Amino acid sequence: MGGESNEGEMGLNHGDDHSRAGTTSMPLYAKADPFFSSSDWDPVVNGGSFSSSHYPSVVMENPGMSCFTHYQTGSGYPDMPASLLPFGDCGGAGQFLGSDKNGESVGRLMRAGESHDQVSDDGVLGASPTRKRRQAEAESQRNKKAVEEYQEDPQRGSDQSQKKHKDGQSKESSQSEEAPKENYIHMRARRGQATNSHSLAERVRREKISERMRLLQELVPGCNKITGKAVMLDEIINYVQSLQQQVEFLSMKLATVNPELNIDIDRIIAKDLLQPRDRNTPTLGLNPFTSFQGNISTTTNPHYNPLPQTALESELQNLYQMGYVSNPSTMSSFSPNNGN
Amino acid sequence: MERQIISKKKQVFSVEPTKLSPSEVFTRKYTSHLVPALKKLNMDKNSSQINQVTVKHEVDMALALSAQEFAWGRFLLQKLSSADSKSSSSNQTQILERSNDEDGEIEEKMKELQELLPGGKEMNVEEMLSEIGNYIKYLELQTSALKTIVQDTT
């Protein structure tokens, strides 16, 4: 599976840079939001992790407002020595930033447990409740412990409705240094929306969910045009089921051929590494099941991988040369004979 | 002939720089778990007795072992270690009760997804959605690893 790029891997390309560029400049982001990929992240992550390096900021569209959802991924998908961090969320520091140019109040979400922000506080607000926490990438790994603490300050509802936040500071500037000690999520009601603390929490939750749905959409093949949660969920369910079925099918096949297991791990790994990561393989998996008896034979069905995988074929050439296959010219035939 | 192959092997390896993408990491782990397990299975029993359930068990076990960094991986491992003969993929025939309410429908689907994911029932929805994402990815990786293994032996 060599040769993966970020795009190739999961097709996940958030293009956050673009999104960031398109909106009001958030100097904070610019400097504080590097590319997770670079500094902190292992090359491992970069190689094509699920949460691709360009995860950070995604613009959320809300009618009438441009909001930034800044997810800092504390950990990429796979691997990550960290624990489980829900994808898309930094070990704790993610924020909703409402940028409002119009001086409307914005909803803001603060993630608790994080320290460090580079941004100065919004002096205007002054009071503790409305602080945003911004987490530097370099410190993102510290967040492992602070996975997601979402707690909403119960009194917030009443407070927030009174606070109107002017532009400029609403964005980054409102972090405060003392934030780290708090464990609250400070939300602010958006203009024209209910300020009930429950509905705020609900909205936050909904936004997170839709954010993840969007990522999933990019993961599941062929879902780019689907809009709507229900259909999307359907697709995801089907896809997962089909993957599981494939695994079952393959293991059944494996059980059949198992007795002749003569594998060299190195060769498998080499092959795997060489195989281009093609996203179509999952859908091609269910080939007619031909039963194989005997040793490694010529039936290295090219039909099994309809997509050309030249690297694999060169490995097959090796096989032929090794004498496992007596007659390369019969490769295209399905006859399970002349093994060695 | 051997040398030729060895040199080709070397060639193969040298093509690949030392970068290790997570999928490669996973693939290595996975195959290194699965193949020895299969061999052992091979040797312990007579070849005619290897049934599918055991193989499936090994397959799932290898997946769980290679994905310990995820909640579903750990859960899968637990489940496999404690009670055998249960496969996560056996829940595929679900009767989905559709309610007319759109939200209810979505809820139902979320539940269904939860059941597909090992350990999904114990997560909340948001967690589950993230875990589903990497579960999908690792399932794909597992599928391709299995294909390679199967190809190799046929």
Side-chain angles (χ1 to χ4, degrees), chain A residues 192-240:
Chain A
Q193 294 190 344
T195 60
N196 191 10
S197 62
H198 293 296
S199 56
L200 281 175
E202 187 56 35
R203 199 177 334 129
V204 164
R205 190 174 155 267
R206 254 182 279 136
E207 283 163 350
K208 279 185 67 177
I209 289 181
S210 48
E211 181 59 35
R212 298 207 175 131
M213 294 279 302
R214 201 156 6 128
L215 289 165
L216 279 179
Q217 191 168 8
E218 305 193 19
L219 194 56
V220 176
C223 281
N224 297 326
K225 309 180 192 114
I226 295 183
T227 50
K229 256 177 163 180
V231 186
M232 189 58 221
L233 281 176
D234 260 340
E235 279 298 311
I236 296 176
I237 289 175
N238 287 338
Y239 189 57
V240 172

Side-chain angles (χ1 to χ4, degrees), chain A residues 1 4 44 77-79 84 87 205 212 219 239 244 246 248 258 263-264 272 277 281 318 321-322, chain B residues 1 5 8-9 21-23 27 39 42 70 74 89 126 130 133 135 138 140 143-144 147-148 152:
Chain A
M1 304 201 180
E4 297 163 337
V44 177
Y77 249 170
D79 153 52
L84 347 149
F87 80 58
R205 190 174 155 267
R212 298 207 175 131
L219 194 56
Y239 189 57
Q244 286 174 339
Q246 275 194 342
E248 248 189 280
N258 201 21
I263 321 176
D264 186 10
D272 254 340
R277 176 83 178 86
T281 38
N318 285 347
Q321 287 160 10
M322 281 182 354
Chain B
M1 182 70 63
I5 292 159
K8 286 215 176 198
K9 263 195 185 174
S21 78
S23 44
T27 311
K39 281 192 181 165
N42 227 352
F70 298 117
R74 292 190 284 268
S89 58
E126 298 151 0
S130 3
Y135 184 60
Y138 280 80
E140 288 174 0
T143 311
S144 64
K147 275 187 199 162
T148 315
D152 211 17

Side-chain angles (χ1 to χ4, degrees), chain A residues 3-175:
Chain A
E4 297 163 337
S5 63
N6 275 346
E7 277 94 9
E9 172 73 32
M10 287 290 143
L12 199 64
N13 194 3
H14 282 287
D16 55 351
D17 301 318
H18 312 304
S19 65
R20 238 182 290 150
T23 52
T24 27
S25 60
M26 318 251 298
L28 193 64
Y29 279 124
K31 55 179 190 262
D33 182 7
F35 297 43
F36 287 98
S37 44
S38 40
S39 40
D40 300 328
W41 292 116
D42 286 343
V44 177
V45 179
N46 290 344
S49 59
F50 179 85
S51 65
S52 75
S53 52
H54 303 293
Y55 199 165
S57 57
V58 178
V59 176
M60 265 176 38
E61 281 90 39
N62 276 332
M65 302 197 51
S66 57
C67 304
F68 280 91
T69 307
H70 183 86
Y71 283 98
Q72 309 195 4
T73 38
S75 73
Y77 249 170
D79 153 52
M80 297 333 110
S83 36
L84 347 149
L85 292 184
F87 80 58
D89 288 317
C90 198
Q95 320 162 337
F96 282 110
L97 292 182
S99 77
D100 61 48
K101 314 158 192 191
N102 310 330
E104 301 168 356
S105 65
V106 296
R108 241 182 281 149
L109 190 72
M110 279 209 291
R111 198 71 63 86
E114 311 313 321
S115 47
H116 33 265
D117 347 81
Q118 328 143 356
V119 199
S120 58
D121 176 48
D122 45 351
V124 173
L125 296 181
S128 43
T130 55
R131 256 166 306 174
K132 258 189 310 193
R133 214 157 312 172
R134 174 78 197 253
Q135 179 175 347
E137 271 47 3
E139 300 158 337
S140 57
Q141 289 178 1
R142 258 195 267 159
N143 309 334
K144 292 171 196 166
K145 59 177 175 77
V147 180
E148 273 207 279
E149 321 186 57
Y150 257 167
Q151 301 169 18
E152 203 173 320
D153 193 353
Q155 310 141 1
R156 209 65 8 157
S158 47
D159 282 345
Q160 292 160 3
S161 48
Q162 297 154 15
K163 289 183 180 136
K164 298 292 178 180
H165 206 49
K166 300 312 171 191
D167 57 322
Q169 354 148 292
S170 62
K171 315 206 172 127
E172 47 289 318
S173 39
S174 53
Q175 269 98 40

Side-chain angles (χ1 to χ4, degrees), chain B residues 119-138:
Chain B
K121 297 190 191 120
E122 292 143 14
M123 304 178 194
N124 63 23
V125 172
E126 298 151 0
E127 267 184 80
M128 194 260 311
L129 282 179
S130 3
E131 295 284 318
I132 279 273
N134 51 53
Y135 184 60
I136 287 180
K137 176 181 172 181
Y138 280 80

Side-chain angles (χ1 to χ4, degrees), chain B residues 23-112:
Chain B
S23 44
E24 288 168 24
V25 169
F26 171 80
T27 311
R28 279 175 190 265
K29 274 195 203 169
Y30 184 77
T31 46
S32 64
H33 280 129
L34 183 61
V35 173
L38 288 177
K39 281 192 181 165
K40 182 162 175 285
L41 212 56
N42 227 352
M43 293 189 310
D44 285 351
K45 308 184 181 188
N46 281 337
S47 54
S48 55
Q49 290 170 10
I50 297 180
N51 55 358
Q52 192 212 334
V53 171
T54 343
V55 172
K56 180 72 167 65
H57 179 263
E58 290 300 329
V59 163
D60 287 339
M61 187 64 109
L63 175 66
L65 287 173
S66 317
Q68 280 299 292
E69 59 263 13
F70 298 117
W72 54 264
R74 292 190 284 268
F75 186 86
L76 191 60
L77 188 61
Q78 266 181 8
K79 187 171 75 160
L80 287 175
S81 320
S82 57
D84 280 4
S85 75
K86 232 195 287 186
S87 84
S88 60
S89 58
S90 63
N91 295 337
Q92 287 167 9
T93 55
Q94 303 264 343
I95 301 174
L96 188 66
E97 301 144 17
R98 297 194 176 263
S99 63
N100 293 335
D101 181 33
E102 179 185 315
D103 268 353
E105 226 177 272
I106 291 185
E107 284 295 318
E108 289 290 330
K109 297 194 177 146
M110 290 287 190
K111 285 198 192 107
E112 200 180 334

Side-chain angles (χ1 to χ4, degrees), chain A residues 246-303:
Chain A
Q246 275 194 342
V247 170
E248 248 189 280
F249 172 78
L250 281 172
S251 68
M252 188 171 69
K253 204 163 171 182
L254 196 59
T256 314
V257 303
N258 201 21
E260 292 79 25
L261 213 61
N262 241 345
I263 321 176
D264 186 10
I265 290 189
D266 280 341
R267 205 167 60 224
I268 291 181
I269 292 179
K271 276 195 204 176
D272 254 340
L273 292 181
L274 286 180
Q275 276 179 9
R277 176 83 178 86
D278 62 285
R279 307 222 43 209
N280 291 329
T281 38
T283 59
L284 299 172
L286 303 179
N287 287 317
F289 185 89
T290 51
S291 63
F292 297 101
Q293 321 262 347
N295 310 329
I296 299 175
S297 63
T298 52
T299 53
T300 44
N301 21 7
H303 293 265

